[in-house]
Amino acid sequence: MTIHVRVRAESSPGEKRVAATPDSVKKLLAAGATVEVESGAGLGSLITDAAYEAAGARIVDRDQARSPGILFHVRPLTPGEIAALPAGTVTIGTLDAFQNPAAVAAARDANVTSFALDLLPRISRAQSMDVLSSQALLAGYRLVTLAADAFGRMFGMTMTAAGTLAPARVLVLGAGVAGLQAIATAKRLGGVVSANDVRAASADEVRSVGGTFIDLDLGTAEAGGGYAKELAEDRARRQQELLAPHIAASDIVITTAAVPGRTAPRLVTADMVAAMKPGSVLVDLAAESGGNIEGSVPGERRSLPVAGGAVTLIGARDIQSDLAPDASKLYAMNCANFAALIVKGGELVLDFDDELLSGSVVARDGAIVTERVAATVEVGLASASRGSGAEPQKEPASAGRGSGAEPQKEPASASRGSGAEPQKEPA
């Protein structure tokens, strides 16, 4: 029986991305699948229903009856959305499993096979399916444009007969994909850019995209697979102390640090913000996960008083949706490339001997098959049943991302030769 792929219209407020484009639809059809796209799913990314139909997809309504198949999604599905799926459905998208234990439990209870692309193993074969890298690249670019818009001055040095305008001094904390893209973008705008990260390879990567690496002499903190691991409390405190003068001297500070399943590490305190020059700008990519900068609020642009004036603090939210057409193009092909692993001649073939499948599947056959996720679900649901409000089980520190907010890989637009394996643009 020919497998069908269904593409949902995202229901999360502010989410403009979609998990398929006309180009990715053609790739899925070439693999033998049929494709259904929910009406209006692509409008936020400037893709009409007619464009999907021209590519060979069928436009359907969300409540239209359907048999099990493959469901593509961008944002994690809610427990209710999962419970409404036919048994045997295969879902492909981001899951954020450590923060969504109820959704994982719903997939188990509904006998849904759930693949989390945000848990893909960090190997070369996974690059064309790597949603974390493709979306972080766009986030890094957008962070700089947000900062530039709020800065109120020119970024680059300009020399005129009437005088010289000094370049903006930009500090980027975290040199993963988003951080490296932010460095490269700020440099192209003419800023003087410096950066810090706790991984051994980060110094060369920062320099490869035109930044100056700040060595805090704290040693390195690596967890393998290109990830940084969370600093111990004393080292984290020392990191703040050593960063303070660099932050005070900066016109723009961009932070990108996050740890899956944990509150984002605090890199910039309120006292550090208060020591900055009037007119300075801070942008926090991790605002939705607790914030690298004290006082940041997701989706809000705040004016904070400092001596002689104020600084602007921007908390990022739905930042990839600001660039929805490009974000959807990359995300959709990430999903289609992953689907190519399980759709063979139009039929669903699940080979869990493939490490990409076994490493990213969270629930199947009525069970949660990833041990660390299973532990999170047990603790999270127990806390919910007690009404304690306790946080879910945290992901082991060895899998954390420390001072890099996303996978620590070079962005496609970055300079080669950094020693990091570059992100490949999906075919």
Side-chain angles (χ1 to χ4, degrees):
M1 181 177 178
T2 300
I3 190 71
H4 73 261
V5 175
R6 190 179 183 94
V7 181
R8 73 190 304 267
E10 296 296 312
S11 58
S12 177
E15 181 57 74
K16 300 177 183 178
R17 292 173 293 173
V18 63
T21 63
D23 285 343
S24 73
V25 166
K26 292 175 183 177
K27 184 178 179 72
L28 294 166
L29 294 174
T34 60
V35 182
E36 299 175 348
V37 179
E38 292 182 1
S39 180
L43 294 180
S45 295
L46 308 181
I47 306 171
T48 64
D49 288 352
Y52 284 119
E53 288 181 313
R58 177 172 170 248
I59 302 301
V60 298
D61 295 327
R62 171 161 294 196
D63 58 359
Q64 190 169 336
R66 59 194 182 276
S67 58
I70 298 173
L71 176 67
F72 282 179
H73 60 94
V74 178
R75 288 277 184 166
L77 300 171
T78 67
E81 289 170 334
I82 294 171
L85 297 174
T89 298
V90 174
T91 65
I92 297 175
T94 59
L95 188 59
D96 199 8
F98 302 104
Q99 297 286 29
N100 290 294
V104 177
R108 173 198 62 198
D109 297 342
N111 195 22
V112 166
T113 299
S114 181
F115 288 102
L117 296 187
D118 46 330
L119 294 180
L120 275 170
R122 315 300 304 170
I123 61 176
S124 296
R125 283 182 59 223
Q127 285 188 340
S128 67
M129 313 160 200
D130 189 350
V131 298
L132 292 180
S133 290
S134 72
Q135 301 305 290
L137 184 146
L138 294 162
Y141 171 85
R142 182 58 177 149
L143 292 171
V144 177
T145 60
L146 284 171
D149 179 64
F151 186 41
R153 288 171 44 193
M154 290 185 65
F155 239 75
M157 184 176 73
T158 303
M159 301 178 69
T160 75
T164 299
L165 302 177
R169 300 182 64 85
V170 182
L171 174 62
V172 178
L173 301 180
V177 175
L180 289 172
Q181 183 62 36
I183 294 167
T185 302
K187 188 70 176 178
R188 286 195 294 270
L189 288 177
V192 176
V193 189
S194 57
N196 175 255
D197 192 287
V198 297
R199 296 173 307 118
S202 60
D204 288 339
E205 293 171 353
V206 167
R207 296 183 188 109
S208 76
V209 292
T212 299
F213 185 74
I214 298 173
D215 188 351
L216 300 179
D217 197 26
L218 284 172
T220 60
E222 301 198 52
Y227 289 109
K229 65 181 179 182
E230 194 172 25
L231 295 177
E233 185 176 349
D234 57 338
R235 290 180 70 194
R237 185 166 52 249
R238 180 60 176 158
Q239 182 187 39
Q240 290 178 346
E241 294 171 355
L242 294 172
L243 284 174
H246 297 282
I247 291 170
S250 299
D251 298 307
I252 293 171
V253 174
I254 293 171
T255 65
T256 68
V259 179
R262 298 171 182 250
T263 301
R266 182 58 48 79
L267 303 179
V268 183
T269 66
D271 288 342
M272 295 159 78
V273 173
M276 296 183 73
K277 302 184 293 290
S280 298
V281 177
L282 304 96
V283 186
D284 187 355
L285 178 60
E288 290 186 88
S289 57
N292 300 143
I293 303 172
E294 187 173 358
S296 69
V297 178
E300 290 192 11
R301 174 171 164 167
R302 305 182 63 198
S303 180
L304 303 179
V306 299
V311 299
T312 300
L313 172 57
I314 300 172
R317 182 177 183 178
D318 297 321
I319 191 166
Q320 293 89 353
S321 281
D322 289 347
L323 303 169
D326 289 338
S328 294
K329 177 181 179 179
L330 298 182
Y331 189 96
M333 201 57 76
N334 291 151
C335 290
N337 288 334
F338 185 86
L341 297 176
I342 62 175
V343 177
K344 308 292 184 182
E347 296 184 357
L348 181 66
V349 180
L350 297 176
D351 177 10
F352 289 104
D353 289 332
D354 186 329
E355 62 181 316
L356 293 182
L357 271 62
S358 61
S360 59
V361 67
V362 172
R364 66 182 175 97
D365 299 329
I368 300 170
V369 296
T370 305
E371 287 186 12
R372 54 195 174 127
V373 174
T376 298
V377 171
E378 291 175 8
V379 174
L381 294 182
S383 297
S385 66
R386 293 195 303 268
S388 65
E391 290 187 3
Q393 172 89 7
K394 308 303 186 185
E395 183 182 10
S398 63
R401 295 186 181 112
S403 68
E406 4 62 28
Q408 308 293 334
K409 297 164 75 176
E410 184 186 9
S413 61
S415 169
R416 306 301 189 237
S418 68
E421 192 169 17
Q423 163 82 8
K424 296 179 181 177
E425 184 176 353

